[in-house]
Amino acid sequence: MPELPEVETVRRRLAPVLEGRVFEHVEISDARLTRPLDPFEVARELEGERVELVDRRGKYLIVRFESGRALLVHLRMTGSFLYANGGALPDDPHRRAVVTVDDGSDVAYRDVRRFGTWLLLEPDEVEAYVDARVGREPLEDAYRSKHLAERLAGRRAPVKAALLDQRTIAGVGNIYADEALWRARIHPLTPAESLGPDEVKALHRAVRAALRAGIERQGSTLRDYRLPDGGEGGAQHEFKVYGRGGEPCERCGTPIDKTRVAGRGTWYCPSCQRLGAAYAASRSSRQPLRSSRHSSV
Ligand SMILES: [Zn+2]
């Protein structure tokens, strides 16, 4: 699933293609993309809008129009864009929409699993919609470890689960959460609230470093993610732990282990990322609570 580095890469590629251009013709061929709204109506509304900025918040791609409206695109699992400059788009059974802009070029949207969404928002709806769903941008200069500490405080959930919550940090998903926790030497099951100030600082640095490494390689192509020119990202070749079960940790040589956290496959180094005493204490104190809950059902 595309995370911040993948969506940011798409944004950077689409910005020069779309900014300043008018959506001349829009065809949306899959009603799931715009539901519950009618795809034909959404397409008609989009026609004539001039793009001011191709923006991003977390995993949302935001096409901001001069009118103040915005098209919010979420790629979910397998959404991607393909840009055809003058030439014809190749046949594609998974194409869901095509935007023709006023220089004659086409931008197609394809989605194999069809979980992606296009949402057209009015000027007064945009910021409130996004702010309700997405936390701070981790790569902004103003993002400090105190902001991360505020979002982790009081949360008993495993730190990995807290990182997957988009309101904790915008744009971190399963891949970059694992990568960041390895960089910070923090076990993914560590309760978020038990991290000390130094660990939070390390995690703050690690999240930013992992995301920057992903952007540098133009995101990671594991299956469906593609750049708008059809190319693939290369970040998957640089992963420290994600998908590397059994391979030696680059720091200590211990084989990378795999577990599940919050229902998601999770990779970590069992030597570099140890569960602290705080975790053991919280588990043993919670054990009776858990078993009594079970017996009551
Ligand atoms: Zn290690």
Side-chain angles (χ1 to χ4, degrees), residues 182 249-254 256 269-273:
W182 179 86
C249 167
E250 125 183 354
R251 265 188 316 238
C252 73
T254 305
I256 300 300
C269 171
S271 298
C272 294
Q273 297 167 263

